[in-house]
């Protein structure tokens, strides 16, 4: 089963993606995580994309497509892929279809996370992450169980993403509306799109997402 998570920045794709991937034995493929890893490792690619990502722009299609194609071509022990943050443009969506077809695979389900823009801004402005394992927290609604200690890896250093700063958040929304929102029509026309109202706490949203996936598996 191959699933795509769609939604504006801050809609919870990353957090829910972790759970879905582990519950359904899927290989989570987050292009944002992969690109940030390149930046942290100061690779040539990371250095060349740093300012673009930190200013809220999408990186060129050919860069992300080649990263994703390399990943999906490699044999995987998982039952499929969970795409988080990819595709983000029509060009990427079409390229993904072509490469999956070559591998005799296809997308089975696209879940769109619906959240109002006010909620998204509030979430992104309060977001911070563990410096070690990159787990994501929220100053208002989701802090570590023990203050200052990451729930997942015990890390004690945290940081705010450059692209979660207010002026950059605005630009990311503009990019989302211009380039990514058209994907809703693309996947709706192929009958793959399901929407989930992604407000409420993490557990509530996880239940809604699970219902959508289980319904698809049974159909
Ligand atoms: P994310 O963590 O998914 O919000 O991604 C963070 C940033 O990485 C985005 O704002 C883009 O600059 C870049 N990025 C991630 N995925 C893609 C993609 N599929 N296409 C283009 N840029 C991407």
């Amino acid at each position: 089963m191959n699933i795509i998570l769609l939604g504006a920045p801050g809609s919870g794709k990353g957090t829910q993606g972790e759970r879905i991937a582990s519950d359904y034995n899927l290989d989570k493929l987050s292009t944002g995580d992969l690109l940030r890893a390149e930046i942290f490792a100061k690779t040539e690619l990371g250095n060349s994309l740093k300012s673009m990502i930190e200013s809220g722009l999408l990186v060129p299609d050919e860069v992300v497509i080649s990263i994703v194609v390399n990943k999906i071509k490699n044999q995987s022990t998982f039952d499929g892929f969970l795409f988080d943050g990819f595709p983000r443009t029509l060009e990427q969506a079409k390229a993904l279809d072509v490469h999956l077809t070559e591998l005799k695979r296809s997308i089975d389900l696209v879940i769109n996370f619906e959240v109002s823009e006010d909620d998204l801004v509030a979430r992104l402005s309060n977001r911070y992450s563990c410096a070690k394992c990159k787990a994501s927290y929220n100053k208002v609604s989701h802090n570590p169980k023990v203050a200052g200690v990451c729930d997942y890896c015990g890390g004690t250093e945290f940081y705010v993403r450059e692209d979660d700063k207010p002026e950059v958040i605005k630009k990311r929304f503009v990019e989302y509306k211009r380039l990514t929102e058209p994907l809703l029509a693309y996947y709706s026309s192929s009958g793959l799109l399901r929407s989930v109202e992604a407000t409420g706490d993490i557990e509530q949203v996880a239940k809604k997402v699970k219902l959508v996936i289980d319904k698809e598996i049974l159909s």
Side-chain angles (χ1 to χ4, degrees):
M1 178 154 200
N2 296 302
I3 301 178
I4 293 174
L5 303 186
L6 271 186
S11 56
K13 303 184 300 291
T15 306
Q16 295 297 332
E18 292 293 342
R19 290 168 171 243
I20 301 166
S22 113
D23 288 354
Y24 295 90
N25 192 36
L26 300 176
D27 193 355
K28 180 171 178 277
L29 211 163
S30 156
T31 40
D33 286 350
L34 294 169
L35 292 166
R36 275 186 293 280
E38 298 281 341
I39 294 176
F40 277 112
K42 295 191 164 47
T43 62
E44 204 176 312
L45 180 68
N47 291 338
S48 70
L49 299 174
K50 187 172 189 295
S51 64
M52 202 178 268
I53 292 175
E54 291 183 350
S55 62
L57 298 172
L58 293 192
V59 309
D61 284 334
E62 57 273 20
V63 174
V64 271
I65 291 169
S66 115
I67 293 177
V68 169
V69 169
N70 275 334
K71 288 268 172 197
I72 62 176
K73 268 201 207 142
N74 291 322
Q75 280 292 332
S76 168
T77 53
F78 294 92
D79 296 338
F81 288 100
L82 180 78
F83 297 98
D84 160 18
F86 181 92
R88 256 177 159 102
T89 65
L90 274 176
E91 179 113 3
Q92 293 176 20
K94 289 176 184 166
L96 181 61
D97 284 344
V98 168
H99 289 286
L100 284 176
T101 305
E102 277 171 13
L103 299 167
K104 301 198 173 16
R105 294 175 179 218
S106 59
I107 295 298
D108 301 288
L109 179 62
V110 180
I111 305 176
N112 179 41
F113 284 52
E114 289 182 335
V115 183
S116 76
E117 195 160 322
D118 285 350
D119 279 355
L120 291 171
V121 174
R123 285 188 193 182
L124 291 173
S125 329
N126 288 309
R127 182 158 77 174
Y128 65 100
S129 307
C130 168
K132 201 167 152 197
C133 74
K134 314 287 180 269
S136 176
Y137 294 97
N138 183 290
K139 280 182 224 160
V140 180
S141 58
H142 177 216
N143 288 296
K145 292 186 187 97
V146 177
V149 182
C150 176
D151 292 344
Y152 304 95
C153 73
T156 52
E157 281 181 40
F158 297 85
Y159 71 102
V160 173
R161 276 169 50 171
E162 281 299 319
D163 58 353
D164 281 345
K165 303 203 166 142
E167 61 286 2
V168 185
I169 291 175
K170 275 193 207 129
K171 205 181 283 173
R172 289 167 69 200
F173 283 137
V174 171
E175 289 284 84
Y176 170 75
K177 289 213 167 100
R178 190 169 70 90
L179 296 165
T180 310
E181 228 168 40
L183 293 183
L184 296 178
Y186 180 77
Y187 289 118
S188 173
S189 68
S190 49
L192 296 173
L193 186 72
R194 307 285 179 271
S195 282
V196 166
E197 200 197 320
T199 42
D201 67 28
I202 294 174
E203 295 303 328
Q204 288 169 330
V205 177
K207 273 190 198 145
K208 292 186 209 171
V209 173
K210 207 170 178 325
L211 278 177
V212 168
I213 299 176
D214 289 345
K215 195 170 164 203
E216 207 56 39
I217 290 174
L218 292 175
S219 69

